[in-house]
Amino acid sequence: MADQSNSHGLIQWHGTTIIGVKRGGKTVIAGDGQVSMGNTVMKPNARKVRRIGEGEKVIAGFAGATADAFTLFERLERKLEQYNGQLLRACVELAKDWRMDKYLRNLEALMIVADADSMLVLTGNGDVLEPEGGIAAIGSGGNYALAAARALSDYEKDAERIAHRAMAVAADLCVFTNDRVTVETI
Protein backbone atom coordinates (compact mmCIF):
# COMPACT_ATOMS: atom_id res chain seq x y z
CA MET A 1 0.00 0.00 0.00
CA ALA A 2 1.36 3.43 -0.89
CA ASP A 3 1.49 6.26 1.60
CA GLN A 4 -0.35 9.52 1.46
CA SER A 5 -0.60 12.24 4.10
CA ASN A 6 -4.04 13.19 5.34
CA SER A 7 -5.19 16.65 6.47
CA HIS A 8 -3.53 16.09 9.85
CA GLY A 9 -0.14 15.41 8.25
CA LEU A 10 -0.24 11.78 9.38
CA ILE A 11 0.91 9.12 6.97
CA GLN A 12 -1.91 6.96 5.63
CA TRP A 13 -1.14 3.61 3.97
CA HIS A 14 -2.89 3.21 0.65
CA GLY A 15 -2.75 1.17 -2.49
CA THR A 16 -3.18 -2.48 -3.23
CA THR A 17 -5.20 -4.67 -5.53
CA ILE A 18 -8.19 -6.76 -4.54
CA ILE A 19 -10.33 -8.63 -7.07
CA GLY A 20 -13.53 -10.59 -6.69
CA VAL A 21 -14.77 -13.03 -9.33
CA LYS A 22 -18.04 -14.97 -9.24
CA ARG A 23 -18.36 -17.76 -11.83
CA GLY A 24 -19.88 -21.22 -12.07
CA GLY A 25 -21.10 -21.44 -8.49
CA LYS A 26 -17.71 -20.37 -7.09
CA THR A 27 -16.73 -16.97 -5.68
CA VAL A 28 -13.09 -15.95 -5.28
CA ILE A 29 -11.55 -12.90 -3.67
CA ALA A 30 -7.81 -12.40 -4.21
CA GLY A 31 -5.44 -9.71 -3.03
CA ASP A 32 -1.76 -8.91 -3.24
CA GLY A 33 0.52 -8.75 -0.22
CA GLN A 34 2.51 -5.54 -0.68
CA VAL A 35 2.55 -2.84 1.99
CA SER A 36 4.43 0.27 0.90
CA MET A 37 5.32 3.56 2.49
CA GLY A 38 6.40 6.02 -0.15
CA ASN A 39 8.77 4.21 -2.47
CA THR A 40 9.72 1.59 0.13
CA VAL A 41 8.14 -1.84 0.39
CA MET A 42 7.58 -2.33 4.11
CA LYS A 43 6.10 -5.82 3.90
CA PRO A 44 5.67 -8.08 0.88
CA ASN A 45 3.27 -10.69 2.31
CA ALA A 46 0.39 -8.98 4.15
CA ARG A 47 -2.98 -10.80 4.23
CA LYS A 48 -5.59 -8.40 2.87
CA VAL A 49 -8.13 -11.13 2.14
CA ARG A 50 -9.64 -13.23 4.91
CA ARG A 51 -12.63 -15.23 6.09
CA ILE A 52 -14.92 -13.59 8.63
CA GLY A 53 -18.15 -14.25 10.48
CA GLU A 54 -19.52 -17.29 12.24
CA GLY A 55 -18.41 -20.41 10.44
CA GLU A 56 -16.20 -18.22 8.23
CA LYS A 57 -18.83 -18.29 5.49
CA VAL A 58 -17.95 -14.77 4.33
CA ILE A 59 -14.75 -13.73 2.57
CA ALA A 60 -13.58 -10.13 2.51
CA GLY A 61 -10.74 -8.14 1.01
CA PHE A 62 -9.75 -4.54 1.67
CA ALA A 63 -7.89 -1.71 0.03
CA GLY A 64 -6.92 1.39 1.95
CA ALA A 65 -5.65 2.19 5.41
CA THR A 66 -4.94 -1.06 7.25
CA ALA A 67 -6.20 -0.05 10.70
CA ASP A 68 -9.36 1.34 9.10
CA ALA A 69 -9.95 -1.89 7.23
CA PHE A 70 -9.59 -3.97 10.38
CA THR A 71 -12.08 -1.72 12.13
CA LEU A 72 -14.50 -2.33 9.27
CA PHE A 73 -13.90 -6.10 9.37
CA GLU A 74 -14.78 -6.10 13.07
CA ARG A 75 -17.88 -3.98 12.51
CA LEU A 76 -19.01 -6.20 9.64
CA GLU A 77 -18.56 -9.31 11.79
CA ARG A 78 -20.77 -7.75 14.46
CA LYS A 79 -23.42 -6.86 11.85
CA LEU A 80 -23.31 -10.43 10.53
CA GLU A 81 -23.96 -11.72 14.04
CA GLN A 82 -26.74 -9.19 14.55
CA TYR A 83 -28.48 -10.13 11.28
CA ASN A 84 -27.97 -13.90 11.46
CA GLY A 85 -25.36 -14.11 8.69
CA GLN A 86 -27.45 -12.18 6.12
CA LEU A 87 -24.61 -10.55 4.17
CA LEU A 88 -26.63 -7.99 2.22
CA ARG A 89 -28.48 -6.76 5.30
CA ALA A 90 -25.27 -6.62 7.35
CA CYS A 91 -23.52 -4.66 4.58
CA VAL A 92 -26.35 -2.16 4.18
CA GLU A 93 -26.38 -1.54 7.94
CA LEU A 94 -22.58 -1.19 8.02
CA ALA A 95 -22.67 1.24 5.08
CA LYS A 96 -25.29 3.35 6.87
CA ASP A 97 -23.16 3.47 9.99
CA TRP A 98 -20.02 4.17 7.96
CA ARG A 99 -21.65 7.14 6.27
CA MET A 100 -23.45 8.57 9.31
CA ASP A 101 -21.11 7.94 12.26
CA LYS A 102 -18.63 10.76 12.89
CA TYR A 103 -15.78 8.34 13.72
CA LEU A 104 -16.45 5.82 10.96
CA ARG A 105 -16.86 8.55 8.34
CA ASN A 106 -13.12 9.21 8.55
CA LEU A 107 -12.15 5.63 7.76
CA GLU A 108 -10.34 5.32 4.45
CA ALA A 109 -10.88 1.88 2.96
CA LEU A 110 -12.92 -0.05 0.41
CA MET A 111 -14.03 -3.64 0.77
CA ILE A 112 -15.16 -6.49 -1.43
CA VAL A 113 -17.18 -9.04 0.52
CA ALA A 114 -18.85 -12.26 -0.58
CA ASP A 115 -20.71 -15.33 0.61
CA ALA A 116 -22.04 -18.27 -1.39
CA ASP A 117 -24.90 -16.17 -2.80
CA SER A 118 -23.60 -12.67 -3.41
CA MET A 119 -20.58 -10.43 -3.86
CA LEU A 120 -20.65 -6.76 -2.86
CA VAL A 121 -18.40 -3.70 -2.89
CA LEU A 122 -18.65 -1.43 0.16
CA THR A 123 -17.55 2.21 0.27
CA GLY A 124 -17.48 4.96 2.87
CA ASN A 125 -19.99 6.92 0.80
CA GLY A 126 -22.70 4.50 1.86
CA ASP A 127 -22.51 2.44 -1.32
CA VAL A 128 -23.29 -1.27 -1.35
CA LEU A 129 -22.76 -2.30 -4.95
CA GLU A 130 -23.32 -5.63 -6.66
CA PRO A 131 -20.71 -5.74 -9.44
CA GLU A 132 -21.65 -6.01 -13.08
CA GLY A 133 -20.96 -9.43 -14.55
CA GLY A 134 -19.75 -10.91 -11.26
CA ILE A 135 -16.38 -9.15 -11.32
CA ALA A 136 -15.21 -6.36 -9.00
CA ALA A 137 -11.81 -4.85 -8.25
CA ILE A 138 -10.59 -2.14 -5.90
CA GLY A 139 -7.31 -0.48 -4.98
CA SER A 140 -4.50 1.15 -6.89
CA GLY A 141 -4.22 -1.77 -9.32
CA GLY A 142 -7.96 -2.43 -9.35
CA ASN A 143 -8.61 -1.04 -12.80
CA TYR A 144 -5.85 -3.17 -14.32
CA ALA A 145 -7.18 -6.32 -12.64
CA LEU A 146 -10.78 -5.47 -13.55
CA ALA A 147 -9.93 -4.96 -17.23
CA ALA A 148 -7.92 -8.18 -17.36
CA ALA A 149 -10.64 -10.20 -15.61
CA ARG A 150 -13.36 -8.88 -17.91
CA ALA A 151 -11.28 -9.73 -20.97
CA LEU A 152 -10.56 -13.22 -19.62
CA SER A 153 -14.14 -13.95 -18.57
CA ASP A 154 -15.27 -14.59 -22.15
CA TYR A 155 -12.69 -17.36 -22.55
CA GLU A 156 -12.06 -18.67 -19.05
CA LYS A 157 -14.83 -20.08 -16.87
CA ASP A 158 -12.86 -20.87 -13.68
CA ALA A 159 -13.15 -17.99 -11.18
CA GLU A 160 -9.86 -18.79 -9.46
CA ARG A 161 -7.88 -18.84 -12.70
CA ILE A 162 -9.42 -15.52 -13.77
CA ALA A 163 -8.52 -13.96 -10.40
CA HIS A 164 -4.91 -15.26 -10.51
CA ARG A 165 -4.36 -14.08 -14.08
CA ALA A 166 -5.94 -10.67 -13.39
CA MET A 167 -3.76 -10.22 -10.30
CA ALA A 168 -0.67 -11.08 -12.36
CA VAL A 169 -1.57 -8.33 -14.85
CA ALA A 170 -2.09 -5.82 -12.03
CA ALA A 171 1.24 -6.79 -10.42
CA ASP A 172 3.02 -6.21 -13.73
CA LEU A 173 1.50 -2.74 -14.16
CA CYS A 174 0.93 -1.25 -10.69
CA VAL A 175 3.98 -0.43 -8.55
CA PHE A 176 1.87 -0.76 -5.37
CA THR A 177 0.83 -4.34 -6.20
CA ASN A 178 2.99 -7.44 -5.98
CA ASP A 179 2.61 -11.07 -7.02
CA ARG A 180 2.27 -12.55 -3.50
CA VAL A 181 -1.42 -13.27 -3.77
CA THR A 182 -3.81 -14.48 -1.08
CA VAL A 183 -6.90 -16.24 -2.44
CA GLU A 184 -10.05 -17.25 -0.58
CA THR A 185 -12.83 -19.22 -2.29
CA ILE A 186 -16.45 -19.94 -1.42
Side-chain angles (χ1 to χ4, degrees):
M1 294 186 258
D3 79 312
Q4 183 177 69
S5 294
N6 67 13
S7 60
H8 305 292
L10 301 172
I11 292 178
Q12 298 290 312
W13 302 60
H14 291 284
T16 200
T17 302
I18 304 292
I19 187 159
V21 181
K22 189 170 184 63
R23 281 278 179 286
K26 188 186 325 182
T27 302
V28 174
I29 297 181
D32 77 303
Q34 184 168 304
V35 176
S36 306
M37 189 166 81
N39 59 0
T40 303
V41 176
M42 302 298 288
K43 183 173 180 167
N45 61 344
R47 277 187 45 102
K48 301 171 197 171
V49 177
R50 59 194 56 224
R51 291 180 174 277
I52 62 172
E54 188 177 322
E56 297 185 334
K57 295 178 182 177
V58 173
I59 50 177
F62 73 86
T66 306
D68 294 354
F70 283 109
T71 298
L72 292 168
F73 278 159
E74 290 171 7
R75 296 277 181 135
L76 180 56
E77 282 187 298
R78 280 187 267 175
K79 294 293 184 187
L80 285 165
E81 285 176 24
Q82 184 179 355
Y83 296 106
N84 299 317
Q86 297 175 47
L87 182 62
L88 180 58
R89 177 81 188 271
C91 288
V92 167
E93 294 302 322
L94 175 62
K96 284 198 274 189
D97 289 353
W98 194 354
R99 183 180 166 112
M100 304 300 280
D101 184 272
K102 189 175 185 177
Y103 166 73
L104 291 177
R105 211 178 346 197
N106 292 317
L107 298 183
E108 298 179 11
L110 294 168
M111 296 174 68
I112 297 177
V113 298
D115 64 10
D117 300 318
S118 60
M119 181 170 56
L120 304 164
V121 177
L122 306 176
T123 76
N125 296 327
D127 299 318
V128 178
L129 307 168
E130 189 169 12
E132 178 75 24
I135 300 172
I138 57 175
S140 59
N143 285 337
Y144 303 121
L146 181 64
R150 284 188 178 170
L152 289 167
S153 69
D154 287 340
Y155 308 100
E156 178 62 60
K157 300 305 175 198
D158 183 77
E160 196 166 328
R161 288 184 65 170
I162 292 171
H164 274 288
R165 288 180 178 175
M167 288 299 297
V169 169
D172 284 347
L173 298 174
C174 177
V175 297
F176 300 113
T177 301
N178 70 11
D179 60 359
R180 296 197 186 172
V181 177
T182 301
V183 177
E184 290 287 348
T185 304
I186 287 188

